[in-house]
Amino acid sequence: MPTVPTVPENTGAEPAPFVELRSVTKRFERRMTAIERMLTRFGAGYRDEIVQAVTDVSLSIPRGSVMGLVGESGCGKSTLGRIAAGLLAPSQGAVSADGMRIAGRPAEAAGRPASRRELLRVQMVFQNPMASLNPRQRIVDIVTEGPIYHGLIDAADRDAFAAQLLEEVGLDRDAMQRLPHQFSGGQRQRVGIARALSVSPDFLICDEPVAALDVSIQAQIINLLLDLRERRGLTVLFISHDLGVVRHLCDRVAVMYLGRVVEEATAADLFASPAHPYTWALLDEIPSLHSGRRAYAPISGELPSPLAPPPGCHFHPRCPDALEVCRTRPPAAGTLGEGHRVSCHLAGP
Amino acid sequence: MTAPVLEVRDLTTEYRMKAGIVRSVNGVSFSLGAGEILGLVGESGSGKSVTGLSIMGLIEPPGRVAGGSIRLQGEELVGLPEARMREHRGRRVSMVFQDPMTTLNPVITIGGQFHEALRAHRRIGRREADDVAERALAQVGIPSPRQRLSAYPHELSGGMRQRVGIAIALAHDPAVVIADEPTTALDVTVQSQILHLVQALVRDRGTAMVWVTHDLSVVAGLCDRIAVMYAGRIVEIGAARDVLTAPRHPYTRGLIASIPGDAEPGSRLVQIPGLPPSPLSLPEGCSFAPRCTRATAACRDVPVFAEHRPGHAVRCHHSG
């Protein structure tokens, strides 16, 4: 079994990155068929469709820390999560974890390629456990299929292993023989988490794990994730659109807009002094219990189509302070203080 | 004080299932004045949506409204023949649903759906209906509304579709609008736009509104009053500020404490132990008692509403 890494003491120095995403870019393309190509020559309106879902994203996640990834639907955060998990191949760039290459071509990645066994160290928890658990499989099989297949445990130890794992995620031993539909949403999500943990990963990607849950159940799952992180020293990429949850759970936060990371900082920095106008807008619009009856001042417009992103800075059509340069030139990433990156023409240090 | 626009008294809605009778709504009472927004808050299965559907007269077998009264501007809706109810539905009381992709007809244009809604209650020509629809779409902030009339629902974004849903619900200037989680499927920035829009429309027209949601922080900025539902009953009702800042029911307190907003980052959130009860086997007495830290022998009896201060009532033996 892969060993569980220990969480390094906080020495104040920048910890070495455990997971690194380097210039990850993902394009989804739908090329015209031969017939469409021919028809286009006669004036039909077909074209190749290219969606740039993720553009040049670099992130490094220190061992044992939780990186939050926030943004609106369609901003590419789930695509990036899947790339980090090795489920999707990036068009360019690479992902590595603990020196092993998870995804990307050899030329672009440091380190040796991960073996199949080593890839088990990267696991994913999905948003909708009803859709990601096999409805015909009993819980005991769901959480032991992976480790038995990969030879991590003996088939004879199956029940004991499952019972221990389920206890760790707060489920009863009786749960083992039941099917996913016999559980509530929160319990199913616990099963999803148990399945991810069954092969002792040290990098976990959580794609909106609490979005589908009721408030009181959401708190239970957040507490479980906090416990697991401590107990197992997990490094986590936590994808969410809920900034309240992200603030509570994450050490660092990256904000995505239309495929790019526009701002990245420690959670404390980001919430205390957001630098990108999009981050301001997001923070302003978190509904809060204390806002009282208020006048909403929403930013205008919606996320533009990734099929036809606006030129220059992608955010300029919705930005209240856009300058001429924002319409023509995409901003480069600048640094504001330690570990606070922002891509905006207006955000000077 | 003016007479309430909507008055719900002891509403009880049941579903007859093979396994037994499920009382989804169990003696719900509230009233609503013109221009007032009531947030009806609860978790899945608490009966908040069924309450909304009961007011709309949209409960279908095996469900039925088993008792109580719903008065719309003084007129009793419970027991009204379907033909009469149809005259009210969409005209005097209308509904905005959670997912406009499933409630708009995918093969009819936006304009076509407007015609349908308008013609249901008045004689109106095609050209005039287009004009009405265009104005209504412009009012909910849809750019180039005339062109949008010939668009199909799938050609609009989620936020735009929900704006269409709101425009259709408001087409006949109803007295009461029931909104069932209309922003749950939307992103925060778009949600904020919709809340802004709804607040302005309700204020301008004096429409009474019931906003059904599971998200307390959404109702905090929008609603005048909040009713919290648990297992088919309202357990706490009062002015939004009172309920949010000085909740009296242990369930409301738990819900508010479990929101990550105020807690120290990284700390354990307060969690309500256990799960909501199965609607087929509700606990005797107070339904929340099995999950409640303050439960005593007294909780074996169903607590009655106690008015804690004017307008703030709680259904709990230990709220004092």
Side-chain angles (χ1 to χ4, degrees), chain A residues 191-275:
Chain A
V191 175
I193 293 169
R195 177 177 61 180
L197 295 178
S198 67
V199 291
S200 304
D202 29 37
F203 179 36
L204 201 61
I205 294 137
C206 300
D207 190 357
E208 302 261 16
V210 295
L213 306 176
D214 273 320
V215 191
S216 72
I217 307 302
Q218 185 175 311
Q220 296 175 356
I221 299 293
I222 291 172
N223 286 349
L224 173 65
L225 289 171
L226 286 166
D227 287 344
L228 290 172
R229 176 200 174 184
E230 262 169 36
R231 205 177 313 139
R232 295 194 171 227
L234 293 169
T235 306
V236 182
L237 179 63
F238 188 86
I239 301 168
S240 178
H241 69 278
D242 187 332
L243 288 155
V245 174
V246 165
R247 174 188 217 163
H248 193 79
L249 211 56
C250 300
D251 303 309
R252 294 184 64 79
V253 183
V255 181
M256 278 186 86
Y257 188 78
L258 216 61
R260 293 174 201 221
V261 169
V262 296
E263 184 163 7
E264 190 209 335
T266 62
D269 264 1
L270 190 94
F271 285 92
S273 48

Side-chain angles (χ1 to χ4, degrees), chain B residues 41-221:
Chain B
V41 183
E43 299 186 271
S44 348
S46 62
K48 57 190 194 302
S49 292
V50 177
T51 303
L53 292 171
S54 303
I55 295 168
M56 290 296 294
L58 288 176
I59 298 296
E60 304 204 335
R64 68 186 185 102
V65 174
S69 119
I70 301 168
R71 286 178 167 279
L72 176 65
Q73 294 173 318
E75 185 179 352
E76 179 61 54
L77 298 186
V78 172
L80 213 60
E82 177 58 20
R84 287 277 297 147
M85 191 60 215
R86 284 189 75 143
E87 288 172 21
H88 296 316
R89 200 185 295 132
R91 193 167 62 86
R92 293 174 60 199
V93 50
S94 67
M95 189 152 185
V96 183
F97 294 91
Q98 173 169 1
D99 180 3
M101 193 64 211
T102 53
T103 49
L104 295 175
N105 188 331
V107 297
I108 298 181
T109 60
I110 302 301
Q113 324 224 11
F114 249 103
H115 291 176
E116 222 173 56
L118 290 171
R119 285 200 183 133
H121 298 293
R122 59 193 254 212
R123 296 166 69 89
I124 186 167
R126 210 179 169 77
R127 175 120 358 123
E128 199 194 339
D130 274 347
D131 291 341
V132 173
E134 185 186 348
R135 274 200 302 277
L137 291 181
Q139 229 170 32
V140 295
I142 291 182
S144 42
R146 195 85 198 182
Q147 282 78 7
R148 289 285 158 268
L149 289 180
S150 51
Y152 288 91
H154 76 267
E155 296 177 272
L156 304 181
S157 68
M160 286 299 156
R161 280 199 290 268
Q162 197 53 285
R163 285 167 197 264
V164 172
I166 291 169
I168 290 179
L170 294 176
H172 292 283
D173 218 347
V176 176
V177 176
I178 315 284
D180 189 0
E181 307 236 20
T183 61
T184 304
L186 305 176
D187 281 314
V188 266
T189 56
V190 179
Q191 166 171 289
S192 183
Q193 293 168 1
I194 299 278
L195 292 174
H196 172 70
L197 172 76
V198 165
Q199 208 173 45
L201 288 174
V202 168
R203 193 183 299 138
D204 292 350
R205 299 168 175 227
T207 314
M209 192 161 204
V210 180
W211 190 275
V212 176
T213 182
H214 70 279
D215 191 341
L216 269 171
S217 36
V218 165
V219 295

